[in-house]
Amino acid sequence: METQRASLSLLSERSSEANLYRLLEPSPPSLGHTDRGARKPVSFMVKETLCPRTSQQPPEQCDFNEDGVVKEYGLTVTVDHWDDVFA
């Protein structure tokens, strides 16, 4: 989950859009039985909130914009670090 938060923070910093984004699907997908060291793609979705990007409000405390933009992002994790990423 920490990698998702870091990605979301970077998105908010670099975005030219007016509002912050918040994780729409914070739960990680199951990797099933996978060899340690294997690289697996992970995706997550974010949705625009009602909080202005310039606010100091944590996105987790912002309400979703009902008509807000939804975006999907992906990253690759190493299975050895799965617990670290989503702990």
Side-chain angles (χ1 to χ4, degrees), residues 18 20 49-59 62:
L20 293 173
T49 69
L50 296 172
C51 293
R53 186 174 57 86
T54 55
S55 76
Q56 298 299 313
Q57 186 83 2
C62 298

Side-chain angles (χ1 to χ4, degrees), residues 10-85:
L10 188 60
L11 169 67
S12 293
E13 288 174 16
R14 294 186 177 178
S15 176
S16 61
E17 298 178 44
N19 295 333
L20 293 173
Y21 283 83
R22 182 174 133 198
L23 288 173
L24 188 59
E25 296 179 354
S27 300
S30 171
L31 287 180
H33 296 289
T34 305
D35 294 332
R36 292 188 75 66
R39 296 173 56 85
K40 287 289 194 176
V42 176
S43 63
F44 57 95
M45 298 179 78
V46 296
K47 185 172 182 176
E48 184 180 14
T49 69
L50 296 172
C51 293
R53 186 174 57 86
T54 55
S55 76
Q56 298 299 313
Q57 186 83 2
E60 298 84 20
Q61 296 177 4
C62 298
D63 291 330
F64 286 116
N65 180 343
E66 187 174 316
D67 297 321
V69 175
V70 175
K71 297 182 180 187
E72 183 173 6
Y73 289 92
L75 53 98
T76 302
V77 296
T78 303
V79 176
D80 289 350
H81 301 291
W82 183 253
D83 290 336
D84 295 335
V85 172

